[in-house]
Amino acid sequence: MKHHRILVFLILTVAFTFAQSPHNSMSYGILLDQVDASSLGYGTAGLIPSSNSSFSTRNPITWTDLKFATLTVHYNSGEVEYLKEKFRSGFGHLSNVAFIVPIKNKFSWGMGVFPLSRKEFSFLDDSVKTVVFSGDTSLMSKQLEGSGGMSSFFTGGSWRIDEKNSLGVQLDFLFGVFNEWTTTFLFNQGATYRRHFQYKGTLLSLFYRSSHFNSQFKSTLYFKVQGPVGQSKTVQTDYFTYVDTEVRPSRDLPLPVTLMAGAVYRFSRYTHLGVEMLKRQFNKNESTGFNSLPGLVGNASRVSVGLLRERVFGSRNFVNLFHYRIGIFQRQHYIFSPEKKLMERGFAFGLGFPFGLTQNQIDIGIRLSKRKSLFSDESELIRQFTVGLTIGDIWLVKRRRR
Amino acid sequence: MATTLFFLVGCTEDSFITDLSETFLSPHDTTTTQINFKAYQIPPRLGGHKTLYVGNGNGYEMPFSFLKLGNLSLLSDTLLAIDSAYFQITLDTTRTDTVDDNMRLTLGYLEADSNYSEMTTNYTNIDWFSDGYPKLFSITTEDTSSNLKHVRFYVDSSLVKTWADTTVETPLLVLESQEEIPYILAFQSSENSTNFPVLKVFYHPDTVSSGDTTQVPSDTSVILLEDDVTIVIPPNLDGNNFDSTKTYAGAAAGLRSLIHADIESLEIPSTSVIAKAYLILPIDTTTSNLSSITGVEVQVFSLADTVDNWLWGEVHQEDIYSHLAFSGTFSPKTVISDSVFKIDLKGIVQSLVSGRLVNNVPINNLGFKLMMVGSLSIFDYVAIVTDSTNDLFPRLEVLYEAP
């Protein structure tokens, strides 16, 4: 019982810790493209199957291939290190929870929640400035901190039209808050200005899978287009030291259009090569208003290549009991400084251990990447570790009487 | 395993160091010299001071001081026989112009009027006071051991009994000079902890009345003052006595100043935090009347009402310019430094800029009232330069941080 409490405390302590990065101060912060352990270990952003050769939590089209209703939970942790270990920030959070129901291998439906971005950051001014006023002198220090982020509650489904064509659709209901504090200390007096943002919006994603080239080229193609629908808005509330809170009129929340394409080439029955590309474009080339430091919003891209070796069914060899994943990726983030692009390159690998008769699986993914900082000449080193648990059962399926 | 545990719990949160000069809450400084001044005069109210004055000097007239005796009911006992009594007041030689070995003073006594009040009585509201009251005459003595000069007024026993009569009001004493003197005599008031004015009464039990023929020693009763105040008639605020290009503050002179700085022209955002705000007022030492630069303290208060006109030199029977006395509506006390008053208006400017509410009404920039609240001599007054073309010009400097 005691150990159980310690475990719960440990989980609660780390479950909602997000990495701070100076880049999170710009726009929505760093967008979290991969949210499950298998995609993370594969180096991809979830379009092409990564859990095994046919299933990805993030792609509804692949859900029809499941045989059981599936509950999947993923936990992501790691650290961001920059300026040669001078600054290090750890994080840990639930990265994906989804419940998926396949319907007669023809349709599927699922729902879940995952974090889209996190705006955790903490800055200190690079110099304690000397302020001279009317013959008085004071040192001035300044701190800028942010906390919050955006998450998605999603629901979606798919339809296997025939053996070669599948369609999928997903709605992401975005929600979140962001708080930013600017604090100065001057002439023995502190001053604080806090901005609070509430935002909500909706993204519609359409998916398509083509297996037309499956027999001739041993390849399956995947496509996704995602864009904002309905009203997306943000409401800013300002908190001042001496005057009343001011709620500003709501304004549009710029959301991007995202195009993704991927292909899986089957080397052999158990070995697959996956390629995935992403192009993200904001419909307004302007600041989202969330910037704490000067920054721009622009086009983003991502390309990744991964290799998946599936478990060999029926083999008694220990090595063949696991899925093996390895991948590399390059990513250009959507946030810029006037002078620099924010580029990230990384390497990933992971394992999956299927067990039981109902497509249960434990996944582990590790990703190491280097991100060129917009704020210094030194790069950020990002180490991530994600563990996921997928449990299959015959939930919501009418059981036959025995 | 160790690596995994580090990933799970190794969360250090160091701050990133970068240039934050372009972010919110950067400091801005601004100055205005658009300042209006208005000197005005009210009758001085000098209750509570440690010195009582009689005489004339520096344009001031101090015709008399009122002294209210404390309770004498102890002496009203018919079984007590008063042997003798005297009222003694001690000369403050540090503030007296000319130390006269034979000061010719009188101590009048009359029934205290209900309108008398130490804190409000001044030369304009003593209609109830008129000549014709009985007077005692002074004898000057010197305590050789302490070098103190005392002025005594001997009071006969029947008068003491009269004063002790509980059916009538305790008498009000009037200290004045027998003839007009061209100098100022200063005495220790009841506000002091030593050498304060006293009525000493020597008595013994009345053995004849009581029938007790046993010889008993005499006893002494010391009656203290309840309060005291000097009536001061200051030099009139006009072009003959004062420079109309200056503004003034002084206690006995009854001088105060109204000041209005054009804070609105500074365009400080209402959401700002005021880091510093100084009202800088240069002193014209040549036209000031200061016994010493040190010890002069002034304070600024926010006005409660609109000032109809800003004409210099108004004289009023009372202060018609009321001021606020809530936190954030007045400055701390300020002394002279390098020939200027550098008055800290941070709280006031913050209240004005952010529209602070007092009794659900926002504080407006109606102006300030400048008052002298401390000086070595009550006769001190400061002349403040109002000309913005002067080398040392009055100005309001503000440092603020705006979101």
Side-chain angles (χ1 to χ4, degrees):
Chain A
M1 188 64 181
K2 185 179 177 184
H3 289 99
H4 177 71
R5 284 181 182 169
I6 292 172
L7 183 63
V8 169
F9 173 76
L10 185 64
I11 291 171
L12 288 175
T13 302
V14 300
F16 302 106
T17 306
F18 293 91
Q20 65 128 325
S21 164
H23 303 110
N24 286 340
S25 66
M26 300 163 73
S27 189
Y28 301 105
I30 297 292
L31 296 180
L32 309 170
D33 270 342
Q34 66 297 309
V35 289
D36 60 282
S38 54
S39 294
L40 185 126
Y42 202 24
T44 60
L47 179 68
I48 60 175
S50 55
S51 182
N52 52 41
S53 63
S54 61
F55 174 58
S56 168
T57 307
R58 297 289 305 278
N59 189 344
I61 281 178
T62 66
W63 299 349
T64 55
D65 295 341
L66 292 172
K67 289 183 171 53
F68 300 92
T70 298
L71 177 66
T72 181
V73 180
H74 297 259
Y75 181 84
N76 178 238
S77 67
E79 66 172 5
V80 179
E81 176 187 310
Y82 40 100
L83 291 183
K84 293 180 179 174
E85 299 187 356
K86 194 173 180 184
F87 301 98
R88 180 178 287 172
S89 171
F91 59 93
H93 56 91
L94 287 171
S95 60
N96 185 30
V97 178
F99 179 63
I100 300 163
V101 181
I103 305 168
K104 297 178 180 178
N105 285 108
K106 183 82 173 171
F107 303 100
S108 69
W109 169 81
M111 57 177 284
V113 64
F114 65 90
L116 192 67
S117 75
R118 283 294 173 259
K119 281 183 68 64
E120 304 291 324
F121 58 88
S122 177
F123 291 109
L124 282 177
D125 204 356
D126 58 1
S127 63
V128 178
K129 294 180 173 58
T130 300
V131 176
V132 179
F133 173 76
S134 193
D136 298 344
T137 303
S138 173
L139 297 177
M140 177 179 177
S141 59
K142 183 184 277 191
Q143 187 167 16
L144 179 63
E145 293 178 296
S147 176
M150 184 181 286
S151 296
S152 166
F153 169 77
F154 70 89
T155 184
S158 60
W159 172 33
R160 187 202 296 265
I161 302 169
D162 54 38
E163 287 301 313
K164 293 184 177 178
N165 298 287
S166 295
L167 286 176
V169 63
Q170 182 172 304
L171 279 170
D172 286 273
F173 301 102
L174 308 181
F175 62 96
V177 294
F178 163 53
N179 284 290
E180 176 205 79
W181 293 266
T182 308
T183 307
T184 61
F185 205 74
L186 178 64
F187 286 110
N188 297 319
Q189 175 184 263
T192 301
Y193 171 51
R194 176 186 161 207
R195 298 196 300 166
H196 172 83
F197 296 91
Q198 278 183 293
Y199 27 67
K200 60 180 182 179
T202 308
L203 291 172
L204 173 66
S205 303
L206 299 175
F207 297 83
Y208 172 68
R209 178 175 63 186
S210 168
S211 303
H212 291 88
F213 309 102
N214 212 348
S215 54
Q216 187 178 358
F217 296 106
K218 300 179 182 176
S219 299
T220 306
L221 304 179
Y222 297 84
F223 300 94
K224 172 186 175 183
V225 58
Q226 182 187 61
V229 292
Q231 189 182 25
S232 301
K233 66 174 185 178
T234 179
V235 176
Q236 179 178 344
T237 306
D238 289 343
Y239 296 84
F240 307 102
T241 308
Y242 289 106
V243 298
D244 288 342
T245 299
E246 180 183 340
V247 181
R248 301 193 178 193
S250 65
R251 52 196 170 84
D252 288 343
L253 183 72
L255 291 172
V257 172
T258 304
L259 300 173
M260 291 183 75
V264 175
Y265 175 76
R266 197 172 68 250
F267 278 120
S268 66
R269 181 177 177 187
Y270 298 111
T271 307
H272 308 267
L273 176 72
V275 179
E276 191 181 87
M277 288 172 288
L278 176 149
K279 184 78 174 175
R280 177 171 287 134
Q281 186 170 2
F282 276 81
N283 54 4
K284 291 181 181 176
N285 189 18
E286 62 181 24
S287 165
T288 56
F290 310 142
N291 280 358
S292 299
L293 295 177
L296 302 171
V297 172
N299 295 341
S301 62
R302 190 182 198 282
V303 59
S304 59
V305 179
L307 196 63
L308 168 67
R309 183 182 186 277
E310 278 191 291
R311 170 193 179 176
V312 178
F313 283 97
S315 172
R316 292 178 179 270
N317 187 334
F318 179 77
V319 175
N320 291 334
L321 296 179
F322 297 92
H323 300 309
Y324 297 92
R325 310 179 189 98
I326 189 168
I328 56 173
F329 70 95
Q330 175 174 292
R331 182 180 182 192
Q332 179 186 322
H333 290 265
Y334 74 105
I335 47 183
F336 298 78
S337 73
E339 300 85 18
K340 290 183 184 176
K341 296 175 181 176
L342 184 57
M343 298 295 296
E344 183 178 356
R345 291 185 180 89
F347 165 76
F349 59 94
L351 285 176
F353 175 59
F355 62 96
L357 299 175
T358 54
Q359 295 182 312
N360 302 325
Q361 188 162 304
I362 294 173
D363 291 292
I364 293 171
I366 293 174
R367 202 186 79 173
L368 308 170
S369 61
K370 182 182 281 190
R371 188 161 59 201
K372 285 187 177 177
S373 175
L374 300 180
F375 297 93
S376 74
D377 294 331
E378 301 289 339
S379 296
E380 288 180 310
L381 299 176
I382 303 146
R383 307 182 187 98
Q384 289 193 68
F385 170 82
T386 301
V387 60
L389 175 63
T390 302
I391 297 174
D393 207 331
I394 51 175
W395 296 303
L396 303 182
V397 176
K398 193 181 287 184
R399 303 179 190 219
R400 291 180 180 173
R401 290 175 183 274
R402 294 192 177 184
Chain B
M1 184 63 180
T3 305
T4 304
L5 275 178
F6 173 79
F7 276 137
L8 286 171
V9 299
C11 303
T12 56
E13 294 297 329
D14 295 310
S15 295
F16 192 84
I17 309 294
T18 193
D19 180 10
L20 297 181
S21 58
E22 297 299 316
T23 58
F24 301 113
L25 293 181
S26 293
H28 308 269
D29 59 71
T30 182
T31 300
T32 181
T33 57
Q34 299 298 312
I35 304 175
N36 291 333
F37 295 91
K38 170 180 182 165
Y40 69 103
Q41 189 176 40
I42 58 170
R45 295 175 176 180
L46 298 172
H49 277 270
K50 291 189 172 182
T51 311
L52 297 171
Y53 297 92
V54 172
N56 299 276
N58 294 329
Y60 294 90
E61 298 173 40
M62 281 71 67
F64 41 80
S65 291
F66 289 124
L67 308 96
K68 182 104 186 285
L69 269 179
N71 194 337
L72 287 84
S73 59
L74 178 70
L75 302 172
S76 65
D77 189 341
T78 56
L79 299 180
L80 291 181
I82 307 296
D83 295 324
S84 63
Y86 63 83
F87 180 82
Q88 176 176 292
I89 189 165
T90 304
L91 193 69
D92 183 348
T93 53
T94 62
R95 299 178 190 276
T96 292
D97 288 345
T98 304
V99 179
D100 191 346
D101 288 337
N102 187 23
M103 289 172 282
R104 292 165 56 77
L105 300 171
T106 64
L107 186 70
Y109 54 94
L110 66 159
E111 189 174 340
D113 189 89
S114 60
N115 289 315
Y116 167 78
S117 164
E118 180 192 25
M119 302 313 292
T120 61
T121 295
N122 62 71
Y123 75 93
T124 66
N125 61 7
I126 50 174
D127 297 341
W128 48 267
F129 176 70
S130 60
D131 209 351
Y133 46 86
K135 297 176 181 176
L136 305 173
F137 294 90
S138 65
I139 295 174
T140 304
T141 63
E142 182 166 4
D143 185 339
T144 52
S145 61
S146 60
N147 286 328
L148 291 174
K149 277 189 184 300
H150 304 297
V151 176
R152 287 181 181 173
F153 300 89
Y154 283 93
V155 187
D156 66 40
S157 56
S158 62
L159 183 56
V160 174
K161 279 292 186 184
T162 304
W163 288 355
D165 185 353
T166 55
T167 61
V168 295
E169 182 73 19
T170 308
L172 184 67
L173 308 179
V174 184
L175 179 69
E176 56 193 315
S177 177
Q178 286 186 36
E179 62 271 343
E180 194 160 296
I181 52 175
Y183 52 88
I184 297 174
L185 296 174
F187 300 93
Q188 308 273 15
S189 81
S190 59
E191 302 294 331
N192 292 283
S193 56
T194 59
N195 302 316
F196 39 79
V198 293
L199 173 66
K200 276 194 173 180
V201 179
F202 303 92
Y203 62 89
H204 67 272
D206 188 347
T207 54
V208 176
S209 302
S210 64
D212 183 359
T213 55
T214 308
Q215 191 68 33
V216 291
S218 297
D219 209 341
T220 305
S221 179
V222 175
I223 309 299
L224 306 182
L225 289 185
E226 198 171 291
D227 57 52
D228 48 22
V229 61
T230 296
I231 299 301
V232 177
I233 304 172
N236 196 44
L237 179 63
D238 56 34
N240 295 324
N241 295 312
F242 296 93
D243 182 350
S244 62
T245 65
K246 307 288 188 303
T247 196
Y248 294 90
L255 294 173
R256 294 178 176 182
S257 291
L258 301 182
I259 301 169
H260 182 270
D262 189 5
I263 296 173
E264 291 75 15
S265 68
L266 300 177
E267 297 183 342
I268 301 170
S270 63
T271 54
S272 300
V273 174
I274 307 299
K276 286 275 184 184
Y278 286 124
L279 178 63
I280 296 173
L281 302 176
I283 306 301
D284 181 5
T285 52
T286 58
T287 52
S288 297
N289 179 33
L290 298 175
S291 55
S292 171
I293 288 288
T294 58
V296 176
E297 292 181 313
V298 294
Q299 202 167 5
V300 158
F301 298 82
S302 296
L303 289 175
D305 296 308
T306 306
V307 178
D308 292 331
N309 74 72
W310 287 82
L311 295 176
W312 184 93
E314 287 180 353
V315 178
H316 297 285
Q317 295 297 305
E318 58 182 307
D319 194 346
I320 64 170
Y321 302 109
S322 57
H323 63 264
L324 303 173
F326 301 97
S327 172
T329 62
F330 57 87
S331 75
K333 296 175 182 176
T334 307
V335 299
I336 298 172
S337 175
D338 295 333
S339 297
V340 298
F341 284 119
K342 192 174 173 184
I343 301 171
D344 183 356
L345 290 194
K346 186 177 84 169
I348 294 178
V349 175
Q350 182 69 70
S351 296
L352 293 173
V353 166
S354 55
R356 183 169 163 242
L357 299 177
V358 170
N359 296 331
N360 291 323
V361 176
I363 298 174
N364 293 315
N365 182 22
L366 304 175
F368 313 125
K369 182 194 291 185
L370 177 78
M371 296 195 290
M372 181 178 281
V373 292
S375 59
L376 291 183
S377 166
I378 62 169
F379 304 110
D380 286 351
Y381 62 79
V382 285
I384 294 165
V385 175
T386 62
D387 185 358
S388 61
T389 60
N390 201 297
D391 288 344
L392 284 173
F393 53 91
R395 60 196 182 275
L396 175 66
E397 298 180 348
V398 181
L399 177 70
Y400 64 94
E401 298 167 83

